[in-house]
Amino acid sequence: MKILFSSTMTAVLFAAGSFLSPLHSAAQSSFDAQFINYPTYSGDDLELIVDNSGTHFRLWSPKAQEARVNIYTNGHTGSPSQVLDMKLDPATGTWTASVPEKLYGMFYTFQIKWNGEWNNETPGVWAKAVGINGKRAAIIDLAKTDPDGWNKDKGPDVSNFSDVIVYEMHHRDMSMHPSSGIANKGKFLALTEDGTVSPLGDKTGIDHLKELGITHVHILPSYDYNSVDEMNLQQNTYNWGYDPQNYNSPEGSYSTNPSDPSTRIREMKEMVKALHDAGIGVIMDVVYNHTAENDGSNFELTAPGYYHRHWDDGKYSDASGCGNETASDLKQMQDFIINSTKYWAEEYHIDGFRFDLMAIHDTETMNKVASELKKINPSIFVYGEGWTAGDSPLAIEKRALKENVSKMKNIAVFSDDLRDAVKGHYSNASDRGFATGKPGNEETVKIGIVAATSHPQVDYSKGNNSKFAYALSPEMIVNYVSCHDDLTLTDKLRKSMEGEPEQNMLEAAKLAQTIVFTSQGTPFMFAGEEIFRDKQGVHNSYKSPDSINAINWENKAKYRGQFDYYKELIALRKAHPAFRMTSADDIAKHLVFDKIDSSKTPNLISYSLKDNANGDYWKEIKVVFNGASQPQTVNMPKGKWLIVAKDGKIAHDGSLGVSSGGKIILAPYSALILARE
Ligand code: CA
């Protein structure tokens, strides 16, 4: 994410740089220490349940002076039809009220008395259904939102997370452009439409995803967020959605009727089911690290002070760069994150969670999240940004940082190492990387190739970002060269390779993604890069119009060669377990770099995947990258090699022919992959 600035910058500012800082050795500020002994409550009946004995409310707010529920017949206007006084249970810090009727179809808000005054109304922190713009919670029968066949719906089974291929997308990016051929533009339902094509007849939407071969989509925030006015959808306001309002209800602007609380829920489930029916998993981007508003957030309105972190002087701390940060190190907040992700996994069949600015959370919370989710579905994939966007009162050794990933079982972090080394620095548009001819990044690319695990041939002291092997297993690493943040790969290449012919940029893009998709770890790509999608040079498009953000599907015909290459690259990875090893030991044993003196021969990396790595039927795979702007020559062992990739072409079925080894010239910005049985 980022609203104020790109979150990716923080890998450098607040991870590597301050890792050994002696500051902040305490877990909490002196201000937040007052909350440690609050009574907590982790029952699954928080805020609302409806059963045969009626409608029951239970609000957690240990220090409120009074609490009440306002019942409404409408989701956003009119005065309450009924006001219920609540009673405190001091042992759990919860306030309760009940009525004997099932109040389906009604709406409610909570209010607490604080310092002698009634706070503003809030739908609470656990609203599973909300009215338009999320100001009031709705009482609905969730079972009635299930699409046909929902009880049999299931995402793909994943035995190893290195088998996952992530495709990061925003709902509007995928469908808003007129060329998408999709009827439900910008909606959850867009991905339920079969048979959609561009004006030139190319598959779009879900058919495009099937054709490409990715295993999981990662959808940008899809919980109810703050910035888009659901009452004025004709304005077509765009936002990434990193401004959480109601964590447990879907965003209204992605539904066909935001004023009906059930519609957004049913339509999001229909999207999940359509993707599952296509064999594709659904990963949700979650932003528990901060709230859109400070004092006006649902957290503050229900339990003032508790859910956010503060400095010693009581001011909000701001590790998110968005005005505040949440306090996962406090029990009720930790429970909230765990129970909220469990709810999405169970109610919406979500297959994975991508944690925004994960290092704002503590490692203990993240470990509990992952282990609880595993109990629901062992195929759930949890990963996140192992950095923060500002300093935090949370002790550095407790933060879920990239550098602390070894303390987190079953959680992966993004590798900014490979990202910046391959394409050039994310914030310096003109900076080039390994794949675009800049020398000096070879060792950092190798860190990415071995998924930041310990390897006898990788010298971590030469790493640009990380100086030690921080991952214990390739399943702890997500490799990528671009995402929604910063310049798209296309824009980055256009800026950094200015003056060169476009064909060079297309070749560099293919090389960059070949490095990602042949590396150990989990590969991740940004939607549309397979058809050379750009954002007209806008690096922080979080609220840019659709004219910047939407994917132009006519690119699929224009850049056919690009799409075909990506598709085959994905097929190669899926067909060959050698690229998907599951342990650091296997990588150290089976992945052997060829000796190349980078000071004399820069922008050249060559390695072998040996001895039927990870059960591959290919005995040996040679992978060579030439990131230079000139051809480079390598000397391959003699023998009969299948040509898998050469000079910007790729095919794993033998259609590129065979090579007898010896001297082979690599075209500029290209990969060479050879294999023998
Ligand atoms: Ca909203």
Side-chain angles (χ1 to χ4, degrees):
M1 63 111 134
K2 200 36 58 184
I3 291 181
L4 299 180
F5 51 87
S6 168
S7 58
T8 46
M9 69 185 294
T10 55
V12 179
L13 282 180
F14 292 102
S18 59
F19 186 59
L20 298 173
S21 162
L23 300 169
H24 318 310
S25 54
Q28 271 117 350
S29 66
S30 58
F31 183 87
D32 288 343
Q34 67 180 296
F35 302 116
I36 295 172
N37 293 322
Y38 269 36
T40 58
Y41 183 80
S42 59
D44 59 5
D45 61 341
L46 271 170
E47 300 197 358
L48 174 76
I49 58 160
V50 181
D51 62 21
N52 286 335
S53 68
T55 302
H56 313 283
F57 301 93
R58 182 190 287 273
L59 180 70
W60 184 80
S61 185
K63 301 291 173 180
Q65 290 158 330
E66 288 183 59
R68 66 191 184 199
V69 188
N70 305 295
I71 310 287
Y72 295 92
T73 55
N74 183 292
H76 67 287
T77 57
S79 39
S81 59
Q82 201 178 353
V83 177
L84 308 174
D85 291 327
M86 306 184 88
K87 249 180 74 178
L88 177 66
D89 169 21
T92 60
T94 60
W95 297 77
T96 58
S98 286
V99 294
E101 303 85 27
K102 292 183 180 179
L103 296 180
Y104 287 137
M106 306 290 272
F107 296 81
Y108 65 93
T109 62
F110 295 108
Q111 260 183 304
I112 64 159
K113 191 181 264 188
W114 192 260
N115 290 334
E117 305 210 357
W118 286 100
N119 268 359
N120 288 340
E121 295 175 50
T122 166
V125 302
W126 259 105
K128 294 172 180 168
V130 294
I132 195 159
N133 280 336
K135 298 298 184 197
R136 293 178 184 170
I139 306 173
I140 65 161
D141 185 355
L142 272 171
K144 291 193 173 153
T145 62
D146 293 349
D148 288 346
W150 187 243
N151 58 351
K152 293 206 176 83
D153 173 77
K154 199 178 177 308
D157 287 327
V158 177
S159 42
N160 300 299
F161 294 117
S162 42
D163 297 345
V164 169
I165 296 169
V166 183
Y167 186 88
E168 184 201 41
M169 54 151 278
H170 184 281
H171 299 289
R172 292 180 76 95
D173 291 13
M174 283 296 281
S175 56
M176 282 308 289
H177 199 276
S179 64
S180 74
I182 290 170
N184 290 288
K185 288 188 171 58
K187 306 296 180 188
F188 292 126
L189 291 181
L191 288 179
T192 67
E193 294 182 35
D194 281 331
T196 59
V197 290
S198 73
L200 297 162
D202 289 308
K203 290 175 180 171
T204 64
I206 193 168
D207 285 354
H208 172 80
L209 298 178
K210 288 193 244 179
E211 187 182 9
L212 184 59
I214 53 94
T215 69
H216 286 63
V217 294
H218 152 160
I219 50 174
L220 260 64
S222 299
Y223 52 73
D224 183 32
Y225 59 78
N226 189 52
S227 51
V228 171
D229 182 359
E230 298 173 7
M231 292 193 202
N232 283 300
L233 294 185
Q234 69 279 7
Q235 288 178 344
N236 271 337
T237 314
Y238 181 101
N239 204 283
W240 282 344
Y242 292 92
D243 53 342
Q245 186 178 349
N246 291 296
Y247 283 102
N248 299 303
S249 170
E251 162 61 13
S253 66
Y254 298 143
S255 81
T256 58
N257 183 7
S259 62
D260 172 36
S262 296
T263 302
R264 61 179 78 182
I265 299 173
R266 184 172 49 250
E267 290 178 348
M268 186 167 172
K269 287 177 175 176
E270 284 176 14
M271 177 200 76
V272 171
K273 182 160 189 306
L275 287 160
H276 285 174
D277 288 347
I280 297 170
V282 181
I283 296 166
M284 199 165 92
D285 196 336
V286 289
V287 190
Y288 295 105
N289 63 63
H290 79 282
T291 49
E293 294 191 65
N294 290 353
D295 295 349
S297 67
N298 295 326
F299 283 146
E300 282 300 296
L301 291 174
T302 58
Y306 184 89
Y307 291 103
H308 292 108
R309 289 195 189 115
H310 307 80
W311 296 113
D312 290 342
D313 62 5
K315 291 204 175 87
Y316 287 102
S317 54
D318 184 20
S320 72
C322 297
N324 62 70
E325 67 182 279
T326 56
S328 62
D329 43 331
L330 289 173
K331 178 80 168 65
Q332 194 70 22
M333 183 64 210
Q334 182 184 76
D335 275 1
F336 180 80
I337 297 173
I338 295 167
N339 292 330
S340 179
T341 50
K342 282 172 70 178
Y343 174 69
W344 285 100
E346 287 173 332
E347 184 67 29
Y348 290 85
H349 304 177
I350 295 296
D351 305 288
F353 296 89
R354 175 269 191 196
F355 277 76
D356 188 65
L357 299 179
M358 185 168 71
I360 291 177
H361 308 313
D362 59 297
T363 54
E364 179 192 302
T365 297
M366 291 312 303
N367 281 327
K368 286 183 178 175
V369 164
S371 69
E372 287 298 314
L373 289 171
K374 295 272 158 216
K375 290 180 197 164
I376 296 169
N377 175 3
S379 294
I380 290 176
F381 185 30
V382 179
Y383 57 99
E385 292 183 307
W387 45 75
T388 67
D391 203 0
S392 168
L394 184 69
I396 285 166
E397 64 271 18
K398 294 193 175 197
R399 296 181 195 171
L401 285 164
K402 183 182 90 164
E403 289 84 349
N404 287 337
V405 73
S406 61
K407 299 177 187 173
M408 295 185 279
K409 234 185 147 191
N410 294 315
I411 291 175
V413 291
F414 286 101
S415 164
D416 56 351
D417 306 274
L418 188 94
R419 182 195 72 199
D420 293 351
V422 167
K423 68 172 181 179
H425 198 263
Y426 69 89
S427 72
N428 179 357
S430 61
D431 187 43
R432 294 190 181 213
F434 172 85
T436 45
K438 185 180 174 185
N441 295 297
E442 296 81 5
E443 209 66 21
T444 310
V445 173
K446 284 157 81 174
I447 291 173
I449 291 169
V450 301
T453 58
S454 180
H455 189 284
Q457 292 175 288
V458 177
D459 181 357
Y460 277 83
S461 73
K462 292 181 184 161
N464 295 341
N465 295 2
S466 304
K467 299 289 185 193
F468 70 104
Y470 54 91
L472 302 178
S473 146
E475 296 192 274
M476 290 182 164
I477 294 297
V478 174
N479 271 320
Y480 69 126
V481 285
S482 75
C483 66
H484 69 279
D485 271 322
D486 310 319
L487 293 174
T488 63
L489 183 59
T490 304
D491 285 329
K492 173 70 175 168
L493 296 173
R494 283 183 181 149
K495 296 233 177 187
S496 61
M497 298 175 80
E498 206 172 353
E500 293 193 39
E502 186 177 68
Q503 191 58 41
N504 288 11
M505 300 170 200
L506 293 168
E507 298 304 332
K510 287 190 280 186
L511 172 61
Q513 295 290 9
T514 306
I515 297 171
V516 171
F517 278 82
T518 51
S519 287
Q520 305 299 318
T522 302
F524 170 108
M525 64 179 289
F526 183 47
E529 284 182 352
E530 68 281 16
I531 54 174
F532 212 54
R533 169 258 183 105
D534 70 357
K535 289 198 242 170
Q536 298 171 44
V538 177
H539 72 95
N540 185 12
S541 67
Y542 77 97
K543 61 172 186 180
S544 298
D546 295 316
S547 56
I548 299 291
N549 280 303
I551 296 170
N552 180 351
W553 291 94
E554 295 192 9
N555 270 22
K556 197 168 171 182
K558 187 174 175 191
Y559 298 109
R560 167 68 58 196
Q562 219 64 9
F563 176 76
D564 289 343
Y565 189 97
Y566 274 67
K567 185 182 159 192
E568 186 61 22
L569 184 58
I570 290 169
L572 169 69
R573 183 176 177 91
K574 284 164 94 171
H576 288 281
F579 301 114
R580 302 181 269 117
M581 286 187 258
T582 58
S583 78
D585 283 351
D586 273 357
I587 296 172
K589 196 170 148 201
H590 293 280
L591 195 157
V592 180
F593 289 100
D594 295 310
K595 271 206 166 38
I596 293 171
D597 182 348
S598 295
S599 65
K600 295 194 181 104
T601 318
N603 298 93
L604 189 69
I605 292 173
S606 173
Y607 67 91
S608 281
L609 298 165
K610 281 188 189 246
D611 304 325
N612 303 91
N614 201 22
D616 208 295
Y617 67 82
W618 281 344
K619 188 171 193 324
E620 182 176 7
I621 305 173
K622 271 278 175 199
V623 183
V624 191
F625 304 127
N626 176 23
S629 57
Q630 306 89 31
Q632 298 210 73
T633 306
V634 289
N635 203 1
M636 289 289 123
K638 295 280 184 196
K640 191 186 168 197
W641 294 93
L642 184 72
I643 301 173
V644 179
K646 189 173 188 299
D647 300 342
K649 293 191 171 52
I650 187 167
H652 71 290
D653 62 357
S655 58
L656 293 180
V658 292
S659 161
S660 53
K663 284 203 186 318
I664 299 180
I665 300 168
L666 278 79
Y669 312 125
S670 79
L672 171 72
I673 304 175
L674 303 175
R676 59 181 168 188
E677 291 186 19

